[in-house]
Amino acid sequence: SGTLSLPMSFPLDFMHLVFENLVPNLVAHYTGTFKGLDDGAEEYTIPAGIWSEVCKIGAASGDTIPSQFGRRIPNIEKERSHMTAEAWSFWIMYIAPIVLRNRFQKRRYYTHLLKLVRLVHLCLSYDMKPGDVDLVRVGFQEWVVEYEK
């Protein structure tokens, strides 16, 4: 007890749950294309012009990111169907925190995104301390509660 069991400590099929589901759904929320829902009483949608700029910058980042980090990220606005789990992973962990900074109408949405990024990094780290498992468990619970608000 107290040891980390990877299959038991993390949600099954992390790739599909996070990189093929959660992250694309977040992008759909941010662009106002999630299942016909709008912002409601909130203001988390990124205006189309700003989103286009974000996508262009993200795609252009491949010019300066070594290929050792993975394949180039396509322009999500124009080529979202080309996004793989690997691409979504790299986008959420390394590109989104930069290109989405100061893009939301309210800072709390960016802060919420960064909480997810931190949790993903923690889950994929090679060196986890015993307390990190609880940070992941509680962190995702809190993140989901904030997301549902």
Side-chain angles (χ1 to χ4, degrees):
S1 182
T3 60
L4 182 65
S5 169
L6 290 176
M8 300 304 291
S9 298
F10 300 101
L12 297 176
D13 204 1
F14 190 79
M15 177 189 82
H16 285 97
L17 290 172
V18 175
F19 303 128
E20 293 284 333
N21 187 354
L22 176 62
V23 176
N25 283 342
L26 269 181
V27 167
H29 272 293
Y30 297 160
T31 58
T33 60
F34 184 75
K35 300 181 180 183
L37 298 177
D38 60 15
D39 286 350
E42 300 298 323
E43 299 174 45
Y44 56 79
T45 300
I46 298 171
I50 293 173
W51 181 250
S52 291
E53 182 182 343
V54 163
C55 292
K56 287 176 191 168
I57 293 168
S61 70
D63 294 344
T64 57
I65 297 173
S67 62
Q68 293 173 335
F69 287 94
R71 71 180 187 94
R72 287 181 74 103
I73 302 299
N75 182 318
I76 296 174
E77 180 181 42
K78 296 178 179 175
E79 303 169 307
R80 191 176 298 186
S81 65
H82 295 156
M83 292 292 284
T84 62
E86 174 198 5
W88 283 118
S89 165
F90 190 79
W91 187 82
I92 195 69
M93 291 172 43
Y94 301 106
I95 294 176
I98 303 303
V99 299
L100 293 179
R101 185 170 181 250
N102 296 323
R103 304 294 186 158
F104 293 98
Q105 295 179 45
K106 294 183 179 177
R107 175 123 180 119
R108 67 183 169 140
Y109 301 115
Y110 180 70
T111 302
H112 186 251
L113 170 73
L114 292 183
K115 288 178 184 178
L116 175 64
V117 171
R118 180 174 176 264
L119 290 167
V120 170
H121 275 283
L122 193 56
C123 286
L124 297 179
S125 68
Y126 289 108
D127 181 31
M128 291 188 80
K129 296 164 189 63
D132 290 344
V133 175
D134 288 332
L135 282 174
V136 168
R137 185 176 293 117
V138 171
F140 270 110
Q141 289 171 356
E142 290 174 353
W143 190 90
V144 169
V145 168
E146 288 177 27
Y147 175 73
E148 290 177 343
K149 284 182 186 177

